[in-house]
Amino acid sequence: MKRVADFAKDHRVRLLQGAQELFPAMTEAMDAAISDIQFETYIFDFTGSGAQVAEALIRAAQRGVRTHLVVDGVGTGPLPKTWQQRMKAAGVQVRVYSPLGPLGLLLPHRWRRLHRKLCVVDGLLVFCGGINVLDDHYDPNYGELDAPRFDFAVQATGSLAAQASQTMELLWWRMQAVRDVRLHRLPQAVRDLRAASAARHARQQDRDARGIRAALVLRDNVRNRSRIEKAYRRAIGAARHDIIIANAYFMPGGKLRRALILAANRGVRVQLLLQGRYEYFMQYHAARPVYGALLAAGVEIHEYEPSFLHAKVAVIDAHGEKPWATVGSSNLDPLSLLLAREANVVVEDAAFAIDLRQRLVHAMQHAGRRMDPARYAGRPLRQRVLDRVAFGLMRLALWVTGNRY
């Protein structure tokens, strides 16, 4: 399998759990920004603590920092008029990725969404993970939550920050440029950006030459169509002791399922922490038909119940010779792995992997319910029918898009 990630050992990486840890770190970085802030998110909601992030963007723009915000046309929709006006007056430049238009999601090409959550400050500091701009205790569809949403992000410095910055800059140009700008100004912009990124990289290497080994792994519909899934499969194939995956929308394709089953068959302990609460029909029911083969192979499935599990993380062999961990936006389902723009950070560092592992084990032990294979096999007929209907609809949707999974 060819290389799927460009690793460098010049990083400082910090694990952040929930908006309660991410938003203060992010707003602190924005308040210290000197030149530019690049921000992409699937959901930008202004309720509760989400407003803190919006206020930080406005403060930065008001003092002259170039501030770019990209939100997804499905996940976010129209911004509230008051916030639109405030951002525009401050100088925050906002773009909507793939607005739906009159036919909405009836057009299959509209299923390709911007699902990554990235924020780069001054080209040197990056935040990446699964956390939207959304208060931990609030859900747009269900209102106030009894317990905080379970999710993670990382804060990192190093060469992957420059890579994230370049990726976001190119998307920004593609979204806003008219034909003459694309033909005449974009090549020069790319050259300037690459030069700036190289300079930032050199400065960061000088400062963090003994840092953590990490990489940014992207998924798009051009050059990086399968890199995140391949990164998972390679790490699972190399596992020797244990695998823990926490994933919100879990419907792995055949290759990924076989990799997990083979790992379990060779004696690796495989534990999955998955969504236990009903959120969406497809997400809840389409996942369940794949559980049977995993349970039969000895894979442990734990369902998270206190609140919505939104994490997209994994840790493998944290205490072994080759620890591996990932935190990002990509679910292990067809929408993330075949259609959406996603971003994950992969970290090969024992201390980071152990920290993440401890948090996931605690969640499984104190907030999860282990699925009993007999109970799964004996679930009511109505539920099994709904599971199969959802699974069939998902396969039909993939056929419409021309994808195999």
Side-chain angles (χ1 to χ4, degrees):
M1 189 181 295
K2 64 182 180 181
R3 185 176 65 180
V4 296
D6 296 319
F7 282 91
K9 197 175 182 180
D10 65 342
H11 302 98
R12 295 284 184 265
V13 185
R14 174 188 172 197
L15 181 64
L16 301 168
Q17 183 170 339
Q20 61 183 354
E21 293 185 6
L22 172 63
F23 290 176
M26 189 181 288
T27 55
E28 180 182 0
M30 290 178 181
D31 284 338
I34 297 173
S35 62
D36 59 276
I37 297 172
Q38 300 161 282
F39 201 165
E40 295 177 355
T41 185
Y42 182 68
I43 297 174
F44 201 122
D45 186 276
F46 297 85
T47 305
S49 61
Q52 299 173 10
V53 180
E55 294 286 2
L57 288 170
I58 289 172
R59 289 194 298 270
Q62 285 174 335
R63 64 177 187 273
V65 174
R66 187 188 72 153
T67 307
H68 287 177
L69 170 64
V70 182
V71 299
D72 184 78
V74 171
T76 300
L79 300 182
K81 288 186 178 180
T82 301
W83 285 104
Q84 284 187 44
Q85 294 168 355
R86 291 190 61 197
M87 287 184 168
K88 183 177 181 180
V92 178
Q93 299 181 61
V94 182
R95 299 289 181 269
V96 178
Y97 180 88
S98 189
L100 285 182
L103 295 180
L105 293 174
L106 293 176
L107 301 175
H109 72 272
R110 294 294 188 193
W111 300 350
R112 301 178 185 273
R113 308 313 312 171
L114 178 70
H115 194 245
R116 64 195 187 197
K117 293 87 180 173
L118 284 170
C119 177
V120 177
V121 178
D122 292 341
L124 296 174
L125 178 65
V126 60
F127 297 89
C128 176
I131 303 173
N132 290 291
V133 180
L134 184 62
D135 190 283
D136 278 341
H137 286 84
Y138 174 75
D139 184 271
N141 298 312
Y142 293 90
E144 295 295 324
L145 302 177
D146 294 332
R149 192 177 290 101
F150 189 68
D151 208 346
F152 293 93
V154 296
Q155 173 184 322
T157 60
S159 53
L160 68 81
Q163 183 185 354
S165 176
Q166 179 170 331
T167 297
M168 298 168 78
E169 190 78 4
L170 291 176
L171 178 62
W172 180 267
W173 274 100
R174 189 186 71 81
M175 290 180 61
Q176 75 166 357
V178 294
R179 181 177 176 82
D180 61 332
V181 175
R182 287 200 304 267
L183 292 177
H184 301 293
R185 293 176 58 190
L186 182 56
Q188 182 60 46
V190 172
R191 287 193 292 270
D192 292 345
L193 182 62
R194 285 174 177 168
S197 296
R200 288 165 174 169
H201 189 167
R203 292 197 303 270
Q204 201 65 44
Q205 282 186 318
D206 290 340
R207 189 172 65 186
D208 294 332
R210 296 183 181 180
I212 290 174
R213 179 175 162 84
L216 179 68
V217 186
L218 301 170
R219 200 244 149 242
D220 57 37
N221 295 295
V222 184
R223 297 180 58 194
N224 305 308
R225 291 176 178 267
S226 59
R227 287 193 173 185
I228 291 178
E229 182 180 359
K230 286 181 178 178
Y232 265 97
R233 295 204 326 258
R234 172 177 286 182
I236 291 168
R240 294 294 176 266
H241 305 287
D242 63 291
I243 298 169
I244 302 177
I245 297 174
N247 210 257
Y249 308 140
F250 183 79
M251 187 183 167
K255 291 181 180 179
L256 196 51
R257 289 201 305 271
R258 286 192 291 274
L260 291 169
I261 289 171
L262 287 172
N265 288 341
R266 66 175 183 267
V268 176
R269 186 181 185 186
V270 182
Q271 298 172 286
L272 306 178
L273 180 60
L274 307 178
Q275 181 73 269
R277 294 182 61 171
Y278 185 96
E279 187 174 8
Y280 305 111
F281 173 80
M282 291 296 294
Q283 162 265 324
Y284 185 85
H285 286 287
R288 275 151 177 75
V290 309
Y291 289 179
L294 296 172
L295 290 168
V299 174
E300 300 175 26
I301 298 178
H302 301 257
E303 293 188 307
Y304 188 84
E305 296 188 326
S307 187
F308 291 120
L309 181 145
H310 198 253
K312 305 110 170 58
V313 303
V315 59
I316 296 176
D317 292 348
H319 295 282
E321 295 180 359
K322 296 181 178 180
W324 184 95
T326 186
V327 177
S329 65
S330 181
N331 290 296
L332 298 180
D333 76 340
L335 292 178
S336 280
L337 296 178
L338 296 177
L339 297 173
R341 289 178 179 267
E342 306 282 4
N344 277 40
V345 170
V346 176
V347 181
E348 296 180 347
D349 177 76
F352 182 91
I354 289 171
D355 184 10
L356 177 57
R357 185 183 188 279
Q358 289 175 341
R359 299 188 196 215
L360 296 180
V361 169
H362 183 271
M364 285 188 291
Q365 291 178 345
H366 298 280
R369 181 178 63 172
R370 183 170 176 178
M371 181 174 289
D372 176 45
R375 182 169 61 87
Y376 168 81
R379 65 197 191 283
L381 176 62
R382 181 178 180 276
Q383 183 174 340
R384 283 182 283 156
V385 169
L386 291 174
D387 294 347
R388 284 297 171 183
V389 168
F391 189 77
L393 290 173
M394 180 67 75
R395 293 181 66 87
L396 176 62
L398 293 177
W399 178 80
V400 169
T401 64
N403 286 291
R404 299 180 62 186
Y405 187 55

